Amino acid sequence: MNAIMVNSLGKKFKLFTSPGGRFLEYMSIGKVKRHTDFWALKDISFDIPTGTTLGILGQNGSGKSTLLSILAGVLYPSAGSFEIKGKVSAILELGSGFHPEFSGRDNVYMYGSIMGLSKQEIDKRFDEIVLFSELGDFINQPLRTYSSGMIVRLAFSVAVHVDADILIVDEALAVGDAIFQHRCFRKIREMQAAGKTILYVGHDTDAVRNLCTSALLLDGGRIIERGDPNYVINKYYALIADRERAYIEGNLIEHGDIPTEGYETVYNFIQNLNAAKIVSPPAIPVHEQTIEVNSTPRKVIFAHAPSEITYSVTIGTGSSLAFSIGIMPGAWDKIPQGVKFDIDILSDGIAKSIFSRVLQPKRNIGDRGWHNFLVPLKPFSGKTVSIIFRTSGSGDDLSYGWSAWGWGKIVKIEENPPTKEIKKTISENTLSDVFSSGEERFGNKRGEITHIELMDENLNRTNCFNSGDIAIVRIHFVLHEDSLENLTIGCTLKNKYCDIYGTNTKWQRLDLRNKKRDRHYIVEFSQSLKINSGTYSINAGLVIVHSNTEIEVLDRRYDCLIFRVEKRDPMVGIIDLESAVKEIQI
Amino acid sequence: MTSIFEYRGLIWNFIKRDISSKYVGSLLGLYWSVINPIITLIVYIIVFGVFLKVRIPGSTSIWDFALYFAAGFLPWLAFQDSVMRASRSIIDNKNYIKKVPFPSEIFPIYITLSEFVNLFIGLGIYLILFLILKGMPTIFILILPVAIILQLVFTLSLAFFLSSGAVYFRDIPTMLGPLFMIWFWATPIAYTMNLIPVNFQWIVKLNPAYYMVEIYRDALFYGKLPEINILVPFLIFSVVLFVISIWFFRKTKTGFGELL
């Protein structure tokens, strides 16, 4: 038998840009549309058999709280249906349903009567509730005098003592102190033993692992994984690692150079955004925003598809159009079909396409990041034209599809451009292969680490390991000079706080002599990850050791890869020393 | 409505809490409920009875006018206060509505009921005045419960409409102040029906509040049975409005969770 049955449940929120829009829609009885739909939940189906405990994991904004609010009867679904058999007691938020001016005692009675208990029934449980909450005489003080921990204790005590068949817990346990948390878990186990159904929602994977019989992973309002808690938790970590990687990649990669020297800015599209004619979806208007690329703030124009920005400009001789296109990392997974970027120029009544490109960052790694372009405007010299920047795609779901035009300008090439070569930093394809980075990089670049690979023992690329697995780090490098002596490559594993383990080719007695310039070399570090669960990163370095004290850094890359380690058997600390424990008989 | 009845214990708890937060240990609460209506009464009686010399038909006594005015004004005051407070009941209790699953009908109901304490205080003031000025009331004082119940049904209807409407249009509670002022002056409370030009009297008869105060005045002041063409239209109107208001509230409350 199922205690909770959820059948293709969906929840749609209407997003309005202004309160006036909502008013207009009401008054027009559906004639005017001023909102954009946002599906916080879509097509959610699951059953919870009576007596089981389900954990729901997901990042912020994945729809967890919306789902709980619907199951608790506070929000109404927009699609689908659900059925609940039995009385539900929900701890949705810290101290919700409590009144700050009334005493703990009054609040217990209020909450009890909300949960449908009569005064006599609450009388019977009252002492137990107070005892469990450890509030003592504080129970007669107004709630506003309580600490947040005390409120949680009271809320939890009441919620578990009202004889509900189904208990919904939303992260509330995280607030109490350690002792209280232990008591809560014990109480939850008692309830499990008594055959109650429990729905636990939160970020706390340990709680899910320890309490739940099964788990769901929500992302973007959809169920993306379900099953055994350990399996779902690993997927959850993979998702986080993935997002982290995507976020960092999005802020790192840049394809092509921005014209800086030898060019003079004639017209800045971002500064003149106010003068442009804009057509855009109402909920996300075209707007200017600052993002970070390679740790440098840059200005972009967010243009959620479908959008159209039209500028009217006079084009001088020798002008070119310099701009960049990109899609925000958070949207990559959600728009497999990509976004199309078009630039048309309307001159003498004739529209001509001068640029068209589709970015599909989910399918094509090369499409990630920012793409700089320079388009000559020679055919339009001396004319006043309309330049139309257009984005299109399946922009129906506005949680996704954040496309943007970066640092757009009309530039003019100087009469005698300086001969100085624009320095090409790193070739395109290598950088897009880099896994992830909040990377810090420095060195004199006499040699370069082009990229670093992290693989399991079967040479499959991964960034999730189980404790004890073999991890293989391959450091690819090129040298820009011949026969560099005392070349050394180092590789260090570290966590957020400290280095865990590091070694180098010199200590490992690997000789790197007689390497030729501009050839591609690989050094492999293979190690066993006998370490605790957690997120770790890798530092790699290419140096020349002149003496013990003098080291010349050619290329050093800190935090260039991030990976996650899972460990089933609990331990404290970082290193698994594989203790053997036995009792000595006297 | 049956599910609401199951929550009567909870409604009672809410009312107790509301009243105790307003009156217990608060001199000010007492002031608003007792002294304030008395002062207002005196001011009106001085302006209308003494300065403007308004008298009820067939009497020259200022005390008759005073009692006539009080019999309409005190219920009106309770009506106005209940509706205005109830209109905020959903917005003000969003902490419950968003977090605790139980019927949100409870909020306008308990606020209305709790504000009816003001009505009883007002009626108490009136009866004391009446005893001093006129002596014992007639047997038709027994009509009073009917008047109270009809007022309750009428007030609840407006409470349902406005409390839910206020979620969608936040301006409603603010708009009510001036609207009630206009409504008060459009209702023959501080003046009598015969002061209105005959060809405008039909407008007054479209005003439900006129029927409400008329029933009170019959029970409290005139000491007679309300006329059929006063009682029946108001009864039917209130009940129909009540049913529609509940339907409206049910229809609109699905949006509370996300709009609050």
Side-chain angles (χ1 to χ4, degrees):
Chain A
M1 212 186 81
N2 290 323
I4 300 180
M5 280 168 284
V6 178
N7 191 9
S8 38
L9 200 72
K11 178 68 190 173
K12 180 176 74 176
F13 289 104
K14 291 178 178 179
L15 300 186
F16 291 88
T17 37
S18 69
R22 185 186 294 282
F23 184 77
L24 257 176
E25 260 191 36
Y26 289 137
M27 297 318 284
S28 70
I29 329 168
K31 295 257 163 51
V32 180
K33 187 172 180 265
R34 278 279 185 283
H35 72 265
T36 318
D37 289 339
F38 170 73
W39 285 91
L41 285 180
K42 218 167 185 180
D43 204 22
I44 304 287
S45 299
F46 61 88
D47 294 334
I48 309 179
T50 305
T52 59
T53 303
L54 178 76
I56 299 183
L57 286 169
Q59 292 173 282
N60 290 332
S62 58
K64 295 181 310 249
S65 299
T66 309
L67 178 60
L68 279 205
S69 298
I70 291 175
L71 292 180
V74 186
L75 285 179
Y76 293 77
S78 323
S81 60
F82 68 98
E83 200 181 320
I84 291 183
K85 292 196 180 119
K87 191 164 78 179
V88 180
S89 177
I91 312 173
L92 285 190
E93 207 174 88
L94 177 58
S96 62
F98 281 165
H99 194 296
E101 284 304 317
F102 285 84
S103 69
R105 176 185 299 272
D106 290 343
N107 273 302
V108 168
Y109 278 90
M110 280 297 299
Y111 194 85
S113 60
I114 287 172
M115 294 309 301
L117 265 61
S118 70
K119 189 172 178 306
Q120 292 75 23
E121 286 173 303
I122 306 169
D123 284 340
K124 263 196 299 192
R125 293 168 176 79
F126 188 77
D127 289 341
E128 211 181 326
I129 292 174
V130 177
L131 195 69
F132 189 89
S133 67
E134 285 186 329
L135 283 172
D137 290 340
F138 259 101
I139 198 74
N140 294 316
Q141 297 295 314
L143 213 71
R144 65 181 148 78
T145 62
Y146 286 26
S147 70
S148 57
M150 290 161 85
I151 296 176
V152 170
R153 264 145 52 190
L154 185 64
F156 189 83
S157 305
V158 182
V160 296
H161 284 97
V162 292
D163 273 354
D165 307 299
I166 299 165
L167 180 69
I168 297 182
V169 188
D170 185 6
E171 315 229 38
L173 297 183
V175 188
D177 61 25
I179 298 171
F180 184 72
Q181 282 190 22
H182 277 265
R183 212 146 25 132
C184 288
F185 283 117
R186 206 162 57 227
K187 183 76 196 172
I188 289 178
R189 289 202 188 288
E190 274 172 34
M191 294 179 73
Q192 285 177 322
K196 311 268 180 179
T197 309
I198 299 168
L199 195 55
Y200 177 84
V201 176
H203 301 287
D204 184 357
T205 48
D206 286 335
V208 172
R209 200 194 304 273
N210 290 316
L211 282 178
C212 300
T213 43
S214 63
L216 288 180
L217 177 56
L218 280 185
D219 189 45
R222 289 146 182 89
I223 297 178
I224 59 169
E225 289 296 343
R226 61 176 86 204
D228 173 66
N230 281 311
Y231 167 78
V232 174
I233 288 166
N234 283 340
K235 290 288 176 186
Y236 175 62
Y237 280 132
L239 186 77
I240 292 177
D242 230 37
R243 284 290 146 78
E244 231 168 296
R245 190 200 76 213
Y247 176 80
I248 291 161
E249 263 184 357
N251 290 332
L252 176 75
I253 309 168
E254 190 171 5
H255 303 272
D257 292 313
I258 311 172
T260 46
E261 292 166 67
Y263 293 88
E264 173 202 343
T265 303
V266 180
Y267 187 86
N268 187 323
F269 289 107
I270 293 172
Q271 280 169 12
N272 288 293
L273 186 61
N274 289 335
K277 210 181 102 207
I278 295 167
V279 183
S280 71
I284 305 181
V286 165
H287 64 284
E288 179 192 323
Q289 201 165 331
T290 305
I291 60 155
E292 251 181 38
V293 182
N294 281 324
S295 311
T296 324
R298 303 244 190 103
K299 287 193 168 176
V300 298
I301 297 173
F302 268 100
H304 176 74
S307 74
E308 210 175 278
I309 313 169
T310 309
Y311 291 90
S312 187
V313 217
T314 306
I315 294 174
T317 44
S319 296
S320 292
L321 186 62
F323 61 94
S324 184
I325 59 175
I327 296 177
M328 291 294 108
W332 293 351
D333 289 348
K334 308 293 168 49
I335 41 162
Q337 70 283 9
V339 173
K340 189 166 177 240
F341 294 81
D342 281 296
I343 301 176
D344 291 353
I345 292 195
L346 189 67
S347 159
D348 303 329
I350 302 157
K352 195 176 167 225
S353 169
I354 60 158
F355 175 82
S356 182
R357 168 98 194 248
V358 175
L359 289 186
Q360 292 183 316
K362 183 175 169 71
R363 290 189 189 147
N364 187 350
I365 290 175
D367 279 356
R368 300 182 174 187
W370 292 92
H371 303 255
N372 290 314
F373 294 96
L374 187 67
V375 180
L377 297 174
K378 210 172 168 203
F380 308 99
S381 284
K383 290 179 181 165
T384 298
V385 298
S386 293
I387 303 184
I388 304 158
F389 294 86
R390 188 179 297 130
T391 54
S392 48
S394 73
D396 43 71
D397 201 339
L398 56 87
S399 41
Y400 319 127
W402 290 86
S403 39
W405 299 95
W407 42 99
K409 287 170 180 173
I410 293 179
V411 293
K412 192 172 178 180
I413 301 165
E414 280 172 21
E415 296 289 311
N416 296 310
T419 46
K420 196 172 140 199
E421 201 179 304
I422 296 169
K423 198 185 157 212
K424 200 159 191 205
T425 44
I426 310 143
S427 65
E428 279 182 30
N429 51 355
T430 54
L431 251 182
S432 57
D433 282 343
V434 168
F435 241 58
S436 140
S437 259
E439 184 182 316
E440 221 181 287
R441 186 171 185 179
F442 60 95
N444 63 14
K445 297 285 167 69
R446 288 172 76 193
E448 267 184 64
I449 295 174
T450 53
H451 68 289
I452 300 154
E453 289 178 295
L454 181 59
M455 297 175 290
D456 62 18
E457 53 193 328
N458 302 319
L459 299 183
N460 294 318
R461 280 206 189 186
T462 180
N463 54 358
C464 283
F465 295 91
N466 286 316
S467 184
D469 282 0
I470 300 291
I472 292 170
V473 179
R474 282 190 175 169
I475 300 177
H476 299 239
F477 66 100
V478 291
L479 303 175
H480 299 314
E481 286 167 40
D482 274 324
S483 57
L484 291 164
E485 291 296 316
N486 294 318
L487 204 61
T488 303
I489 298 220
C491 176
T492 303
L493 308 188
K494 58 184 281 287
N495 69 9
K496 218 181 328 179
Y497 312 104
C498 62
D499 292 345
I500 311 289
Y501 172 78
T503 188
N504 61 41
T505 49
K506 189 175 181 230
W507 296 340
Q508 300 291 335
R509 299 196 173 77
L510 178 73
D511 204 348
L512 295 176
R513 247 181 298 196
N514 299 325
K515 298 285 180 261
K516 298 263 184 325
R517 68 178 285 182
D518 291 340
R519 287 267 296 276
H520 180 186
Y521 299 100
I522 305 174
V523 172
E524 179 178 295
F525 290 79
S526 173
Q527 48 268 310
S528 163
L529 297 175
K530 288 180 179 159
I531 49 182
N532 202 357
S533 302
T535 306
Y536 298 88
S537 63
I538 293 175
N539 293 349
L542 174 63
V543 301
I544 294 170
V545 183
H546 294 296
S547 70
N548 274 345
T549 50
E550 200 187 334
I551 293 170
E552 179 187 345
V553 178
L554 307 187
D555 194 5
R556 199 170 257 176
R557 300 176 68 163
Y558 284 160
D559 291 344
C560 51
L561 278 175
I562 292 173
F563 65 97
R564 172 98 209 150
V565 174
E566 283 305 317
K567 188 168 189 317
R568 258 178 201 239
D569 305 323
M571 58 169 269
V572 295
I574 302 163
I575 305 292
D576 184 0
L577 295 177
E578 298 187 314
S579 305
V581 181
K582 61 181 177 185
E583 186 184 346
I584 307 293
Q585 301 295 335
I586 306 166
Chain B
M1 225 51 218
T2 48
S3 69
I4 300 293
F5 191 69
E6 282 170 25
Y7 282 96
R8 63 192 180 281
L10 177 61
I11 295 180
W12 179 235
N13 268 339
F14 269 121
I15 293 174
K16 272 199 303 200
R17 173 194 276 194
D18 193 52
I19 291 172
S20 68
S21 73
K22 249 183 1 196
Y23 300 104
V24 174
S26 147
L27 272 176
L28 219 63
L30 211 63
Y31 169 81
W32 288 119
S33 325
V34 180
I35 305 171
N36 204 25
I38 291 178
I39 290 175
T40 322
L41 265 183
I42 293 172
V43 171
Y44 273 93
I45 290 166
I46 289 173
V47 173
F48 283 85
V50 180
F51 299 166
L52 296 174
K53 298 206 177 4
V54 180
R55 294 289 180 272
I56 59 163
S59 162
T60 51
S61 161
I62 187 172
W63 299 119
D64 277 345
F65 169 73
L67 287 173
Y68 165 89
F69 173 67
F73 181 70
L74 293 169
W76 168 270
L77 207 59
F79 166 69
Q80 171 182 320
D81 288 350
S82 324
V83 174
M84 292 199 7
R85 251 200 88 203
S87 74
R88 305 193 53 86
S89 60
I90 298 291
I91 307 178
D92 286 350
N93 284 295
K94 65 168 172 232
N95 182 30
Y96 287 109
I97 293 186
K98 289 184 75 167
K99 304 295 172 203
V100 192
F102 62 99
S104 33
E105 283 89 344
I106 286 175
F107 298 104
I109 292 177
Y110 98 76
I111 295 276
T112 307
L113 290 177
S114 155
E115 283 293 312
F116 263 59
V117 172
N118 284 351
L119 178 66
F120 294 116
I121 291 173
L123 292 175
I125 296 171
Y126 179 84
L127 289 176
I128 291 168
L129 276 179
F130 195 87
L131 280 173
I132 296 168
L133 297 170
K134 288 258 178 181
M136 283 302 287
T138 70
I139 184 76
F140 292 104
I141 193 83
L142 296 179
I143 298 293
L144 202 54
V146 176
I148 293 171
I149 288 169
L150 283 179
Q151 176 176 3
L152 180 63
V153 173
F154 183 45
T155 311
L156 275 177
S157 317
L158 293 185
F160 281 137
F161 275 122
L162 297 172
S163 60
S164 166
V167 177
Y168 293 83
F169 305 117
R170 293 292 171 107
D171 300 343
I172 285 182
T174 329
M175 280 157 49
L176 285 181
L179 283 180
F180 265 102
M181 193 184 68
I182 297 169
W183 197 357
F184 172 72
W185 291 110
T187 312
I189 293 171
Y191 54 92
T192 55
M193 190 72 160
N194 65 327
L195 291 177
I196 307 168
V198 181
N199 41 356
F200 285 108
Q201 287 187 0
W202 63 274
I203 298 177
V204 175
K205 290 192 175 157
L206 293 177
N207 174 1
Y210 162 70
Y211 295 82
M212 186 176 82
V213 295
E214 199 62 0
I215 296 168
Y216 271 107
R217 282 194 293 240
D218 284 339
L220 291 173
F221 177 67
Y222 294 116
K224 65 182 178 72
L225 264 181
E227 286 167 45
I228 287 299
N229 61 1
I230 293 286
L231 193 61
V232 174
F234 188 58
L235 178 80
I236 294 172
F237 176 78
S238 303
V239 170
V240 170
L241 190 71
F242 185 66
V243 172
I244 299 174
S245 73
I246 287 180
W247 171 84
F248 176 80
F249 193 90
R250 289 269 153 91
K251 202 86 182 149
T252 48
K253 77 172 181 181
T254 51
F256 291 172
E258 53 196 275
L259 286 173
L260 284 171

